[in-house]
Amino acid sequence: MIGSPDLVAFTREEDYYECPLRRSPGLPEEYSVPLFPYSEGESSPWSRLSGAKFSRDFILISEFSEQVGPQPLLTIPDDPRVRGAFDLNYFSLRIMSVDYQASFVGHPPGSSYPKLNFVEDSKVVLGDSKEGAFAYVHHLTLYDLEARGFVRPFCMAYISTDEDKIMEQFLELSGDFSKASECLKTGNRKAFANELEKKLKDLDYTRSVLLNEMEEQQKTDHQGFYTTQAIEKANELANVEKSIIEHQDLLRQIRSYPYRHLKGDDYQPYMPESSQEDAEPANHEGAGKAEVYTPRPSYTPKFIKAKSSKCFDKKLKTLEELVDVYFFTQTIDLLTTIEKRYRGDVSYLIMSHLEKTFLGQQAIVNFLFEDPSIWDPKPVDRQYPANLGIHHNAPSPKFVEEPESPKPLVSMESYKSSVESVPIKIETELFNHEQEAMGLCDQTGNAECLEGDAKGSISSGESIEVLRTEKSTLLIHSESQPCLRLHPSPQPRRKVGSRRTISEDSIEVLSTCTSETVIPEDFRATYQMAINEEEVSPEEPDRGDESANVFDPMQDEEKANEGDVTVDPACCIRAESLEEVVGEFVPDHCGDGIVVSVPPQPGKHVSQTFGQVKFLVEQVDNPSVEVSSPADANYLLSSRDTEKLTLDEDSTSYRSGASTGSDRTPSPPPVVTITERQKRRSGQNALMFIRQYPFSHPAIYSLLSGRTLVVLGEEEAFVKKLVTALSVFVPNNGHGAKPIKPWTTSPLHIMDFQKWKLIGLQRGVSPSGSNTLHSLGRYSRYASILDADNKTLRCPVYRGTVLHRLADHRTQIRRGSTYYMHVQSVLTQLSTKAFLFTFCHHAHLPIREKESEESIGQRRAAFLQQLLGLSHEDSKIVEYLSELLKMHYLKETGTQQLPVLRFDYVPSVLYKI
Amino acid sequence: MKTAVLNIGEEQTLNPYTELTALKAHNDIVRFLVQVDDNRFASACDDGTIIVWDVQTGEVVFELQGHTQKITAILVFPSNETHSERADLILTASSDRTVIAWDCESGQEVHKASDFLSTVKNLTVLQGLDVWLSGGGELRVWSRHFKVLGETGCFSDGGIAALVELPKNCVAAAVGKDLRIFKLGADAAGSDRWDISEVKCLSAHQDIIRTLANVNELTFVSGSHAGELIVWDALDWSVQAFETNLSRATSPQDVPPENKLIPLQEEISIQCIASDGECVFVAVCRSIYVYNLQTKRVIAYQKNAHDSDIQHMATLPNRQLVSCSEDGSVRIWELRSKPQFQAESVPAGFFSMWGFGKSGKQSNHAVKRAVDTGIVASLELIGDLIGHSSSVQMFLYFQDHGLVTCSADQLIILWKEGKRESRLRSLMLFQKLEQNLQAKFSLQ
């Protein structure tokens, strides 16, 4: 551990610069800790937490249900104490409303079939300052044959009280959540394909039934007249056939989804070898209606009545059913690890991330003291940036046609181009009955939503800020434009917006970010538009006009859907999607104002100073583009209210392109160890040990110089506690577990000393106990003996200086985890010295012909004492570590090494309290 | 009541062995070690297995399975110069009354002899004749290809206890209290058989002869259970010196009084004899005596060298003496002259090799005592190696790899010089680095 956040967080800027130590070179800048921006009002960096209603970060999954509107589905951890009094329903509403990704199935102008959009997820950061909640929100859509437009919008949100944390970890969060999303979507595609196949079977069956019926009719009806019945049947048949074609087309589309092989996926790739029926989870409840198929292992097709495929009160599939149980649990596992990974203060996360990259570079020495679980023994593969690279560098995607079933993880570099412009135009005629059903359904849903939202926003009177978004493909949004066109008038929305203003509800888009798939130039252009929009000063009259909060009946169901979203102020985030539209669609309304949609903006304070996390920060010119969409207008209105927030300015004055910036930010997600608690415990125990035992130094010296320390005691728990305390100081000799045996009752053997460096030993009273003591006395030269019962220590004398820093019994450090980090820090220094010593050629090999061993030995001693400034005992430590390094290096490079026990013939001293 | 054993304590600045590796592969007492070549050694276990080890890496090279009972003797039969291909053999004798020859390179069983009437307890190679001898109930001469070239009749008294090669194609065999000299000669018929005949029987010892050792070309010594040490002329087999009781030879005032309470039988049996050509080191139970051949006197001794009987003792090329004992320890000794006792009676040439030439102020009394007792040197303990938990049976010294010890606790321990090992590792490290660097460059 390089530093401890407990200490640095209180560093004040002025103190820092006045510090005389400033003159010394110190740490490289990239490893220094960001300064806490000191202000008189806020003396503690955590003071802002007070407003929050929850204590810990958590992950929320919400759905925008087409029936009931935004609703929270689950939280991770699933513990009501975590979220406390925090209103999940309300927050779901907020975060779901931010999704301005218009992904739906429509009929492209050229074809008459519905098209599936393979939509990239959108990533937004938003904040609710009153609630004290800030969230990274990851929107995604899943396919559901029964859903309107075949899509179900979901979002996963990482909710924290710390805004900086979200901003700092944006890229990491985005990467991690993308994985989770990918996992969900992979499962969903599979389930969707299955669903489609069954539907096709149904339709096929229906057609054959209808055909039969018609034939029957023709047989009975010899006159050649076409009865109304016959005509109905014929129509029905035609519909069914059309439906078949449509579904076949959908199936083809979903199968042609180009799967990309995600390297380093956290979830198990699932290869459906068997038939889809087998793989498909039984979603019994989901198929409540008779019309809806009931998937069973062996599927029997059902007759589908015309015009009944959609229904108001049908039960929507649960998320679990949508994505296949297997993938669902995978995703939950993944999210659970994500939640664990991002626990704690942001500085801690940053430090651990830095530490990890640092350790990655220290491949030769890091086995000594670092927990192998923290740091990956495998070379640090920067998977995240690598993925980014793929996105960037492979703009031309490969398509793999999958004739049988969607096989996830077929190697596909990118599915970006599948997201390419799919012109969508809603043609109501084509959707006929389905549309009707949907429309009804949606409208009712919308109405509810509207009401709920209106109430909520009025009462809340808070501001919700979209801090940052990550947009996937702008083209998509441009294609989604038709839906905007469908708005006959922007007025209703404006009214909504204006009412927001009245209610002092405001949304602020602090920053948005395009995802990696966007070509930087494109992005830049659109981005600048956004900036321009912002710089156009909003006009008051516009807002004033919009005062009627009326749901426009002219809106079709798609519009209604939009309405759902736009009811919430967050609709204004659509600004970005509209930018593309600007050229194409002449705005029939003027919405001007500020669009504060800014690509990912890393926290200025930290990211700029941290080595690995370098963002491209540019000043944006003053472009001015007119805003053209109603959504924009809405947004502008609301954002204007919150201009007072400084974040606004921040986000506009700086821009950092995610696409370019992410290239340069090779930031693998920080891996936080699961042994955090153990660390804390051993740190706490170690702290107690050095406070209670005045002879802690020689004990630690024994451990660090490779002399086995035997903790002798009667009581197992007590001995184990001491072992835990001392385990911090035991150097490891390889990638395995530390050479520690916490408790043994049998007499020690020479092999034990060779294998273990810290042993908890039972002091028995039985005959075997005397054997134990006898063997201990016999091997006393190989071991230091800490008698836990009598509080004595028998070991060689320590006269060095390093340990005074490492284990100062008057230390001011109070917390175990802090002390643990302090220890790690000192030990890292020692390891570094050992590294220098080991790999300094002159310290070991002759520099001239036939140089005597004594001469080399003298040089070696001089190196240790003068260059590294080590006393005799400290040199012993470094020499021991150096031996471990050598053996480890040789072993790693394939030279066989004997496990050895190294020792010295040095006298021991008995220490007593 | 024993006197306290000599203890050196934990500070052993002269002890170079600061690194050890315990090797565990045997499942019974490991009784014998034999050096196969520069990098390998073989260990023989009481369960009948023999393992060939690499002393550098600690790897098991071969596991030789063929004997059903404990190994009683092991020996390496080097290939003759005349052989074109190198074919060193490991000869092992076992209580199952077989002798097996193993190929050192392949680990395969090459030959097996199984028609013995009793267990073969001794193996000797006469390199010059390219034959080997098995000693047990009878003495047999074998060719490299396991052909019996000659044999003697059966011995009473439990057969041959020790066997040693003498000049002029002779061997000395200890049979009971007698020492029998056999001579090998080509058969008159000119066949491939060898005539082995007893030329002399020496009956000077009063008790069973326990050990035989060659000192140099001209001298060999024998030690008996009763503590008699006889120095023999190797050519005419005449007694050069006879020491009936070594402990009595030491000065009475040096012997602590309580020592006399110990039963004589326990204390006087000669366990083993080592020699550096000029001095004979005699292990008597747990004591070590240094007998100088020129002065024919005990010049140094260590009464309480070990806690328990000494099992094996040998001199190292660096003039150190190493002994291992039933007490589980290995001790390293160095013979140093006592400066104040450097009297005229001691030839200067003898002590010059120890590096002591100081002519200190001589105390008259001391000189007198030195003359009285002949004790002119001391055997200094410079280090002990503690690792085994049971009797250390044998050890082996490698010039480049340190000591190997085997023990009744089934372990074999490699004792290495920590400093040298560290240096070697550094050397390997830099070689490896260089290789990696070269590999990198060649890639580029």
Side-chain angles (χ1 to χ4, degrees):
Chain A
M1 185 48 79
I2 298 154
S4 59
D6 307 44
L7 303 178
V8 296
F10 290 103
T11 313
R12 295 178 183 179
E13 201 159 347
E14 57 265 43
D15 291 350
Y16 183 66
Y17 283 113
E18 284 163 15
C19 183
L21 287 176
R22 187 81 180 124
R23 278 174 281 127
S24 69
L27 276 176
E29 198 176 346
E30 60 265 30
Y31 291 123
S32 66
V33 183
L35 296 173
F36 171 63
Y38 177 72
S39 64
E40 288 302 326
E42 263 186 0
S43 55
S44 154
W46 294 283
S47 61
R48 76 184 96 171
L49 297 189
S50 53
K53 288 177 181 161
F54 56 98
S55 52
R56 238 173 77 186
D57 298 359
F58 63 97
I59 293 174
L60 169 70
I61 299 185
S62 298
E63 183 201 358
F64 196 109
S65 163
E66 58 192 56
Q67 289 174 347
V68 297
Q71 57 171 355
L73 297 180
L74 56 97
T75 60
I76 297 169
D78 189 17
D79 185 354
R81 283 173 303 172
V82 170
R83 52 182 188 265
F86 189 65
D87 188 349
L88 285 183
N89 279 307
Y90 174 69
F91 203 75
S92 298
L93 177 72
R94 291 276 165 133
I95 56 177
M96 283 314 288
S97 60
V98 178
D99 181 17
Y100 53 94
Q101 159 187 290
S103 54
F104 60 96
V105 179
H107 291 239
S111 78
S112 55
Y113 307 133
K115 280 271 185 186
L116 285 181
N117 263 335
F118 297 125
V119 190
E120 289 269 10
D121 304 342
S122 77
K123 299 146 186 184
V124 185
V125 174
L126 60 82
D128 190 331
S129 52
K130 175 127 189 236
E131 292 278 334
F134 297 87
Y136 165 84
V137 188
H138 193 106
H139 294 279
L140 70 152
T141 52
L142 298 177
Y143 301 113
D144 183 359
L145 198 52
E146 295 152 45
R148 178 175 43 75
F150 302 143
V151 291
R152 300 265 302 267
F154 285 89
C155 86
M156 300 178 287
Y158 185 87
I159 302 171
S160 168
T161 53
D162 186 0
E163 175 193 338
D164 285 344
K165 180 172 178 178
I166 305 280
M167 299 299 268
E168 288 300 335
Q169 303 293 318
F170 183 77
L171 284 176
E172 288 82 0
L173 279 168
S174 156
D176 287 349
F177 274 94
S178 294
K179 278 180 196 158
S181 161
E182 205 54 49
C183 185
L184 277 178
K185 289 195 287 188
T186 308
N188 173 244
R189 280 190 296 271
K190 197 167 77 70
F192 187 63
N194 287 343
E195 203 184 345
L196 274 171
E197 286 194 340
K198 279 162 193 164
K199 181 72 178 262
L200 274 172
K201 281 179 190 161
D202 286 347
L203 288 169
D204 223 33
Y205 176 72
T206 309
R207 186 177 62 174
S208 62
V209 169
L210 285 174
L211 277 173
N212 278 343
E213 283 177 1
M214 281 178 75
E215 274 172 29
E216 289 289 316
Q217 269 186 347
Q218 278 179 346
K219 271 179 210 163
T220 53
D221 199 9
H222 298 291
Q223 285 91 342
F225 294 118
Y226 286 104
T227 62
T228 48
Q229 239 187 343
I231 292 167
E232 240 173 57
K233 278 271 181 281
N235 280 340
E236 212 172 311
L237 186 64
N239 277 338
V240 166
E241 276 178 349
K242 190 169 135 299
S243 188
I244 287 176
I245 294 171
E246 281 173 10
H247 281 85
Q248 277 172 342
D249 191 60
L250 284 175
L251 188 61
R252 187 191 53 77
Q253 287 177 49
I254 195 78
R255 278 177 177 168
S256 69
Y257 178 83
Y259 296 94
R260 53 180 167 180
H261 187 73
L262 291 175
K263 278 185 293 176
D265 266 348
D266 285 346
Y267 62 92
Q268 293 295 310
Y270 182 88
M271 304 305 253
E273 294 296 330
S274 55
S275 65
Q276 289 105 4
E277 279 82 6
D278 292 344
E280 173 77 9
N283 47 354
H284 351 275
E285 336 77 40
K289 295 297 153 201
E291 288 83 11
V292 184
Y293 67 88
T294 326
R296 279 192 303 265
S298 61
Y299 184 68
T300 39
K302 297 237 163 17
F303 181 76
I304 296 176
K305 278 189 234 162
K307 305 189 177 187
S308 59
S309 62
K310 297 289 172 192
C311 185
F312 297 107
D313 51 352
K314 69 176 188 270
K315 191 173 178 296
L316 287 173
K317 288 198 190 65
T318 63
L319 181 59
E320 212 166 337
E321 291 157 357
L322 269 181
V323 298
D324 185 320
V325 177
Y326 175 82
F327 286 98
F328 180 75
T329 49
Q330 289 268 334
T331 311
I332 296 301
D333 291 348
L334 199 56
L335 289 174
T336 310
T337 57
I338 290 173
E339 192 271 325
K340 282 183 184 147
R341 190 177 301 167
Y342 289 97
R343 272 181 201 170
D345 191 78
V346 61
S347 68
Y348 176 74
L349 289 178
I350 293 169
M351 288 316 292
S352 55
H353 174 209
L354 279 177
E355 182 193 7
K356 191 168 175 276
T357 39
F358 172 71
L359 285 177
Q361 293 161 8
Q362 300 287 304
I364 286 173
V365 295
N366 55 11
F367 73 94
L368 282 176
F369 293 108
E370 301 302 332
D371 185 356
S373 69
I374 306 177
W375 136 84
D376 204 348
K378 290 171 281 185
V380 178
D381 219 8
R382 314 212 152 159
Q383 291 161 346
Y384 182 46
N387 281 348
L388 289 183
I390 286 168
H391 289 298
H392 288 296
N393 301 334
S396 64
K398 285 186 282 176
F399 282 92
V400 169
E401 286 292 330
E402 304 213 15
E404 275 310 306
S405 66
K407 280 189 182 129
L409 306 182
V410 173
S411 74
M412 256 306 157
E413 297 299 32
S414 160
Y415 59 92
K416 183 183 119 190
S417 73
S418 68
V419 196
E420 76 197 356
S421 56
V422 185
I424 298 163
K425 199 176 158 197
I426 307 282
E427 290 170 63
T428 25
E429 325 78 66
L430 291 178
F431 265 102
N432 48 42
H433 51 272
E434 281 193 11
Q435 292 277 356
E436 285 172 35
M438 277 163 71
L440 280 168
C441 169
D442 289 339
Q443 276 168 11
T444 49
N446 284 338
E448 282 169 25
C449 292
L450 276 171
E451 284 167 21
D453 182 47
K455 269 185 268 171
S457 53
I458 290 167
S459 59
S460 74
E462 293 153 3
S463 63
I464 191 159
E465 304 131 28
V466 177
L467 301 169
R468 179 174 178 178
T469 66
E470 186 162 359
K471 290 284 296 170
S472 45
T473 328
L474 295 169
L475 283 173
I476 284 291
H477 301 296
S478 77
E479 298 316 324
S480 68
Q481 175 55 27
C483 76
L484 292 169
R485 207 176 49 169
L486 288 170
H487 302 291
S489 150
Q491 291 304 325
R493 290 182 167 209
R494 296 194 177 200
K495 279 156 198 160
V496 172
S498 66
R499 218 194 56 187
R500 285 270 133 37
T501 332
I502 292 158
S503 70
E504 299 191 357
D505 223 16
S506 63
I507 290 183
E508 195 174 353
V509 180
L510 297 174
S511 92
T512 61
C513 161
T514 53
S515 87
E516 315 81 69
T517 48
V518 179
I519 303 160
E521 284 70 26
D522 293 350
F523 171 69
R524 208 164 283 155
T526 58
Y527 175 66
Q528 283 169 355
M529 276 191 259
I531 299 296
N532 295 336
E533 285 156 11
E534 168 157 15
E535 295 190 345
V536 173
S537 72
E539 290 172 32
E540 292 300 321
D542 269 347
R543 271 195 291 173
D545 291 345
E546 305 148 359
S547 54
N549 183 19
V550 181
F551 191 82
D552 195 330
M554 289 170 74
Q555 288 175 331
D556 63 11
E557 72 281 352
E558 284 298 327
K559 174 56 192 165
N561 186 24
E562 291 298 319
D564 280 355
V565 183
T566 50
V567 169
D568 196 275
C571 63
C572 41
I573 301 173
R574 289 184 183 278
E576 186 160 345
S577 70
L578 295 167
E579 291 152 18
E580 280 278 322
V581 176
V582 171
E584 239 178 286
F585 298 94
V586 180
D588 51 350
H589 61 275
C590 46
D592 43 354
I594 296 164
V595 173
V596 200
S597 92
V598 178
Q601 198 220 340
K604 284 194 296 180
H605 306 297
V606 181
S607 10
Q608 289 167 20
T609 49
F610 274 49
Q612 297 293 339
V613 199
K614 279 186 189 126
F615 288 86
L616 174 71
V617 179
E618 291 175 25
Q619 191 77 36
V620 178
D621 320 305
N622 300 339
S624 61
V625 173
E626 238 189 306
V627 182
S628 57
S629 78
D632 275 352
N634 276 337
Y635 170 66
L636 300 171
L637 296 172
S638 44
S639 72
R640 219 174 285 159
D641 296 331
T642 54
E643 270 174 355
K644 54 183 182 286
L645 289 182
T646 53
L647 284 164
D648 224 9
E649 290 159 27
D650 284 350
S651 51
T652 48
S653 55
Y654 288 96
R655 92 174 180 83
S656 66
S659 46
T660 49
S662 54
D663 279 349
R664 300 168 197 185
T665 53
S667 47
V671 177
V672 176
T673 103
I674 28 168
T675 60
E676 200 57 47
R677 175 175 294 178
Q678 293 167 0
K679 272 187 187 175
R680 203 167 51 232
R681 226 184 65 206
S682 56
Q684 196 60 53
N685 287 350
L687 207 52
M688 266 168 45
F689 176 76
I690 62 164
R691 286 207 178 116
Q692 286 178 4
Y693 293 81
F695 46 72
S696 63
H697 290 175
I700 295 168
Y701 169 62
S702 288
L703 291 171
L704 285 177
S705 58
R707 186 180 168 109
T708 303
L709 182 70
V710 178
V711 182
L712 187 65
E714 275 174 37
E715 205 185 320
E716 181 174 354
F718 185 51
V719 169
K720 276 188 171 170
K721 197 176 175 189
L722 279 173
V723 168
T724 315
L726 289 163
S727 62
V728 188
F729 306 103
V730 181
N732 208 343
N733 46 20
H735 286 316
K738 280 196 170 186
I740 297 169
K741 195 173 180 65
W743 182 246
T744 182
T745 53
S746 52
L748 295 179
H749 209 247
I750 190 74
M751 292 293 246
D752 296 317
F753 297 104
Q754 187 175 312
K755 209 186 287 176
W756 310 111
K757 290 298 162 199
L758 179 58
I759 303 174
L761 181 65
Q762 184 184 38
R763 177 207 303 279
V765 281
S766 57
S768 73
S770 68
N771 271 348
T772 304
L773 288 182
H774 177 259
S775 78
L776 206 54
R778 178 174 176 78
Y779 295 122
S780 62
R781 68 177 55 174
Y782 303 122
S784 300
I785 299 155
L786 175 63
D787 191 326
D789 302 327
N790 302 322
K791 303 262 191 292
T792 61
L793 172 72
R794 191 182 168 282
C795 74
V797 180
Y798 175 74
R799 286 175 294 256
T801 53
V802 169
L803 296 191
H804 294 290
R805 245 184 321 129
L806 180 67
D808 182 4
H809 67 278
R810 289 184 302 259
T811 178
Q812 296 296 312
I813 298 174
R814 299 254 173 274
R815 298 183 54 220
S817 51
T818 315
Y819 183 68
Y820 185 90
M821 286 188 270
H822 171 69
V823 169
Q824 291 288 74
S825 162
V826 176
L827 293 181
T828 305
Q829 281 179 25
L830 275 176
S831 312
T832 317
K833 287 183 174 174
F835 176 81
L836 268 178
F837 174 65
T838 309
F839 288 92
C840 178
H841 189 275
H842 288 191
H844 303 280
L845 299 184
I847 48 176
R848 49 180 187 273
E849 294 250 337
K850 289 177 185 162
E851 188 179 16
S852 69
E853 266 313 314
E854 289 77 40
S855 161
I856 301 172
Q858 280 167 10
R859 201 165 52 235
R860 187 161 46 231
F863 185 89
L864 285 168
Q865 280 166 20
Q866 283 147 33
L867 267 160
L868 297 181
L870 299 168
S871 65
H872 179 255
E873 276 82 10
D874 294 336
S875 300
K876 283 275 175 207
I877 295 175
V878 168
E879 277 173 330
Y880 174 67
L881 298 181
S882 165
E883 286 305 316
L884 291 179
L885 281 183
K886 279 190 251 178
M887 285 192 262
H888 186 255
Y889 183 85
L890 289 172
K891 204 160 81 184
E892 291 287 290
T893 50
T895 313
Q896 191 168 6
Q897 289 292 303
L898 276 174
V900 297
L901 168 64
R902 286 180 67 85
F903 50 92
D904 287 309
Y905 297 104
V906 286
S908 287
V909 172
L910 188 68
Y911 292 92
K912 289 177 187 165
I913 283 191
Chain B
M1 180 182 163
K2 279 183 186 176
T3 50
V5 71
L6 189 71
N7 199 346
I8 186 174
E10 286 177 330
E11 195 162 12
Q12 303 176 11
T13 50
L14 291 172
N15 188 346
Y17 301 103
T18 55
E19 195 174 303
L20 68 82
T21 302
L23 306 173
K24 172 104 180 79
H26 285 298
N27 296 311
D28 207 337
I29 297 172
V30 189
R31 212 170 276 276
F32 300 104
L33 293 172
V34 66
Q35 183 170 352
V36 176
D37 52 33
D38 285 347
N39 280 311
R40 292 184 299 170
F41 67 94
S43 61
C45 178
D46 270 9
D47 65 1
T49 57
I50 298 114
I51 292 182
V52 180
W53 302 84
D54 187 315
V55 70
Q56 178 69 41
T57 62
E59 268 183 322
V60 173
V61 184
F62 305 119
E63 195 165 336
L64 312 178
Q65 306 256 18
H67 288 295
T68 56
Q69 287 181 46
K70 69 178 232 177
I71 309 295
T72 52
I74 181 167
L75 190 72
V76 171
F77 189 5
S79 51
N80 207 315
E81 298 293 323
T82 57
H83 288 283
S84 52
E85 79 277 22
R86 188 173 168 81
D88 290 357
L89 296 177
I90 299 171
L91 302 175
T92 55
S94 161
S95 296
D96 61 7
R97 298 184 186 178
T98 58
V99 174
I100 297 179
W102 313 85
D103 189 305
C104 284
E105 303 309 312
S106 67
Q108 297 298 307
E109 181 179 321
V110 183
H111 301 290
K112 183 169 183 174
S114 54
D115 57 340
F116 296 99
L117 297 175
S118 62
T119 303
V120 175
K121 289 177 189 159
N122 289 286
L123 294 170
T124 304
V125 165
L126 300 185
Q127 187 70 29
L129 303 176
D130 199 27
V131 296
W132 60 276
L133 284 76
S134 66
E138 69 277 301
L139 187 66
R140 286 187 188 176
V141 184
W142 300 81
S143 75
R144 175 173 289 273
H145 306 290
F146 272 53
K147 206 166 147 195
V148 180
L149 302 174
E151 75 184 286
T152 65
C154 281
F155 301 112
S156 55
D157 297 335
I160 296 172
L163 198 61
V164 69
E165 184 188 358
L166 296 179
K168 297 196 283 187
N169 295 349
C170 288
V171 289
V175 182
K177 295 174 183 174
D178 298 333
L179 197 62
R180 301 184 184 211
I181 310 294
F182 294 93
K183 188 171 177 67
L184 276 81
D187 206 9
S191 69
D192 54 355
R193 285 189 66 87
W194 289 80
D195 183 43
I196 179 160
S197 57
E198 186 178 328
V199 278
K200 192 150 190 177
C201 181
L202 309 165
S203 305
H205 279 292
Q206 302 298 310
D207 208 336
I208 297 163
I209 299 171
R210 299 281 294 258
T211 176
L212 280 175
N214 271 316
V215 175
N216 52 35
E217 290 284 296
L218 304 170
T219 324
F220 72 99
V221 289
S222 62
S224 80
H225 189 63
E228 303 150 314
L229 180 77
I230 299 177
V231 181
W232 303 89
D233 190 306
L235 295 173
D236 60 7
W237 314 305
S238 61
V239 176
Q240 289 192 338
F242 187 84
E243 203 71 43
T244 49
N245 195 330
L246 287 168
S247 60
R248 224 176 283 151
T250 59
S251 161
Q253 66 241 41
D254 275 13
V255 180
E258 61 264 38
N259 206 25
K260 290 173 178 167
L261 299 174
I262 295 161
L264 205 63
Q265 206 63 21
E266 291 286 313
E267 278 291 311
I268 56 172
S269 171
I270 291 179
Q271 303 290 325
C272 56
I273 296 171
S275 165
D276 62 358
E278 309 214 16
C279 288
V280 179
F281 302 90
V282 187
V284 179
C285 288
R286 56 199 195 99
S287 320
I288 299 173
Y289 295 89
V290 183
Y291 185 81
N292 187 284
L293 289 175
Q294 276 180 300
T295 58
K296 295 194 169 53
R297 298 194 72 156
V298 173
I299 55 162
Y301 64 94
Q302 198 57 256
K303 284 272 185 199
N304 296 300
H306 278 277
D307 247 352
S308 186
D309 281 2
I310 291 167
Q311 292 280 343
H312 186 68
M313 197 165 64
T315 52
L316 303 188
N318 59 2
R319 295 261 171 212
Q320 285 171 344
L321 175 76
V322 178
S323 62
C324 64
S325 150
E326 278 178 3
D327 63 11
S329 70
V330 178
R331 297 192 157 202
I332 304 161
W333 308 89
E334 208 166 83
L335 189 65
R336 292 176 185 165
S337 67
K338 295 184 177 175
Q340 68 269 35
F341 291 154
Q342 191 175 17
E344 307 81 52
S345 60
V346 180
F350 170 71
F351 276 111
S352 62
M353 66 184 169
W354 306 113
F356 295 102
K358 262 190 263 171
S359 55
K361 215 161 92 181
Q362 292 174 5
S363 148
N364 276 342
H365 175 70
V367 170
K368 201 172 178 187
R369 209 176 71 177
V371 170
D372 284 346
T373 61
I375 302 302
V376 292
S378 66
L379 201 56
E380 295 287 332
L381 178 64
I382 61 165
D384 62 345
L385 309 177
I386 293 179
H388 291 291
S389 56
S390 182
S391 166
V392 181
Q393 297 293 328
M394 203 176 180
F395 63 86
L396 205 61
Y397 177 78
F398 280 84
Q399 186 71 49
D400 296 327
H401 304 291
L403 279 174
V404 184
T405 57
C406 67
S407 157
D409 65 4
Q410 309 174 3
L411 289 182
I412 292 169
I413 299 184
L414 309 181
W415 303 86
K416 302 199 174 188
E417 295 179 25
K419 278 182 185 162
R420 183 169 63 189
E421 293 301 311
S422 169
R423 210 160 56 225
L424 287 174
R425 275 193 283 269
S426 283
L427 203 65
M428 282 162 76
L429 181 80
F430 286 111
Q431 281 169 355
K432 209 83 193 176
L433 278 175
E434 206 161 302
Q435 280 174 20
N436 291 352
L437 215 63
Q438 278 170 356
K440 217 173 254 179
F441 276 122
S442 65
L443 274 178
Q444 285 168 355

